[in-house]
Amino acid sequence: MKRVIIDKKKCTGCGICVQICPYRAIRMTEKKAEYILDECFLCGHCQAVCVVDAVRIEVLESTLGLATVREMTEVVQPGQYDTVCLVNLMRSRRSCRKYSGTTVALSLLEDLVKIGTTAPSGTNSQGWNFTILSTRDDVLSLGEMTAEYFRKLNKQAKSRVLRGLMKIFGHDKLGHYFRNYHDSVAEALKEWDEEGRDRLFHGATACILVTGKHCASCPAEDALLASQNILLAAHAMGLGSCLIGFAVEAMRRTPEMRKKMMVADDEQVYSVIALGYPAVAYARPANRMSVTPRIYSEHH
Ligand SMILES: Cc1cc2nc3c(=O)[nH]c(=O)nc-3n(C[C@H](O)[C@H](O)[C@H](O)COP(=O)(O)O)c2cc1C
């Protein structure tokens, strides 16, 4: 069954859809565009580029269906957006480590997920999936499971025998963890256990887990690009956010955690995004170390 339908009556034969199709799924037949395959990767470029609206792809939604943000139908053409504002937004997003405790509306979290899906994905697989934790209790539940994973890991890493054995077999991962993380994790766990201080999620009231399907061509890249969209949109919407790598590590290595978080067997976790209303305002945007790119033509 053809998944891209071209209305020959509307088609003016301009051929632009043929030129931009990355799949070579469209050709010109008697001065009209014709979709010649049964399926392609449904990127929707043919539909988006057609000025007379002659292309229909049923599986693609015409809007994101956002509940808390107005959606525009106009395309921002290259060069039309305010770069100064965009760069400033990017520099103003910081990892938030102090939240007010106010709950984030579920509708807002759902919108963030939808905004995440505007990211590019390898061969347009869109093989991402998301789990939303919308209450502080949900976040604490993930926090406790993460803490439990690190309690066990710290115990193993503390064992000189185990570290030595692993090194003999060519794995110094446990030794590396012991040297670099053991003490700070032990301190954070002590504070979590004895004072209820949350140095993992920093008091966030919500969380979005971003997963990718094993079968996708680039699951990690897809999930991380969607994550960056979520981080930027969250900032624009007044939320603070922080990627929590410790929780990703724990979930990757603990099947029960993935099960509890409804992550399917054919998915991997790529990011855990803590969210909430920030309790601290920054006075200046992010400063970064300077980077000097290698210019190919200067060396060839
Ligand atoms: C993959 C990844 C994992 C991270 N994990 C954590 C984490 O577990 N806890 C935390 O507080 N920050 C975490 N961060 C946030 C970084 O520390 C932060 O991005 C970096 O210091 C730059 O600061 P900025 O995000 O405020 O610009 C993580 C960031 C990335 C990209």
Side-chain angles (χ1 to χ4, degrees):
M1 205 214 22
K2 293 213 186 299
R3 302 176 83 188
V4 175
I5 296 152
I6 301 176
D7 184 337
K8 285 209 164 123
K9 283 194 198 114
K10 283 187 181 174
C11 177
T12 60
C14 74
I16 190 74
C17 55
V18 177
Q19 291 168 39
I20 53 93
C21 175
Y23 213 85
R24 297 188 175 190
I26 306 174
R27 74 168 170 214
M28 294 303 288
T29 311
E30 292 167 5
K31 295 189 179 165
K32 298 280 178 186
E34 186 191 13
Y35 185 71
I36 52 171
L37 303 178
D38 281 333
E39 57 179 15
C40 53
F41 58 60
L42 299 172
C43 65
H45 281 232
C46 51
Q47 187 183 40
V49 83
C50 182
V51 287
V52 294
D53 203 16
V55 184
R56 197 158 49 86
I57 307 173
E58 261 162 24
V59 292
L60 299 184
E61 305 286 346
S62 57
T63 67
L64 291 172
L66 302 179
T68 66
V69 180
R70 182 174 66 86
E71 279 184 70
M72 295 167 74
T73 48
E74 301 82 24
V75 173
V76 179
Q77 299 298 343
Q80 264 192 358
Y81 197 72
D82 187 337
T83 317
V84 176
C85 279
L86 179 64
V87 173
N88 202 31
L89 170 73
M90 288 167 162
R91 287 190 72 206
S92 301
R93 176 222 55 83
R94 303 311 309 268
S95 294
C96 180
R97 299 194 180 89
K98 197 164 170 57
Y99 296 90
S100 71
T102 305
T103 305
V104 182
L106 180 59
S107 53
L108 217 148
L109 297 166
E110 286 171 334
D111 278 357
L112 280 175
V113 166
K114 289 173 183 167
I115 293 166
T117 66
T118 62
S121 62
T123 58
N124 194 35
S125 69
Q126 301 179 44
W128 39 48
N129 219 329
F130 306 84
T131 302
I132 294 175
L133 308 184
S134 60
T135 69
R136 175 72 185 147
D137 281 349
D138 294 347
V139 177
L140 282 174
S141 152
L142 177 58
E144 183 43 45
M145 286 187 282
T146 307
E148 183 54 23
Y149 167 79
F150 280 99
R151 271 184 213 112
K152 283 185 190 151
L153 186 62
N154 259 20
K155 207 169 162 191
Q156 289 171 0
K158 218 174 159 185
S159 159
R160 189 173 295 176
V161 179
L162 206 56
R163 289 201 309 271
L165 267 175
M166 284 193 72
K167 204 170 172 185
I168 290 170
F169 288 106
H171 303 288
D172 191 32
K173 264 187 156 178
L174 206 56
H176 180 267
Y177 174 83
F178 183 71
R179 290 187 295 278
N180 294 289
Y181 297 104
H182 174 276
D183 290 358
S184 58
V185 168
E187 193 188 295
L189 284 171
K190 194 165 177 269
E191 288 180 16
W192 174 275
D193 290 335
E194 293 175 10
E195 300 161 33
R197 216 178 133 208
D198 176 10
R199 278 180 47 192
L200 182 62
F201 285 98
H202 315 292
T205 53
C207 208
I208 296 176
L209 318 183
V210 188
T211 64
K213 291 203 174 82
H214 298 319
C215 63
S217 52
C218 312
E221 292 83 350
D222 302 348
L224 292 169
L225 287 163
S227 299
Q228 173 70 352
N229 274 6
I230 292 174
L231 299 182
L232 289 174
H235 186 86
M237 291 165 149
L239 295 173
S241 65
C242 188
L243 289 167
I244 309 296
F246 283 104
V248 173
E249 179 68 11
M251 288 194 75
R252 284 192 167 191
R253 300 192 183 277
T254 321
E256 305 82 64
M257 275 182 87
R258 294 199 296 276
K259 203 168 171 207
K260 185 102 194 267
M261 293 296 139
M262 298 164 292
V263 176
D265 290 344
D266 64 346
E267 292 172 21
Q268 183 54 278
V269 181
Y270 290 103
S271 78
V272 171
I273 306 171
L275 292 152
Y277 287 94
V280 174
Y282 287 77
R284 277 167 290 281
N287 291 333
R288 293 288 198 243
M289 286 174 260
S290 74
V291 59
T292 311
R294 295 173 290 257
I295 311 294
Y296 182 82
S297 63
E298 287 176 3
H299 298 272
H300 292 85

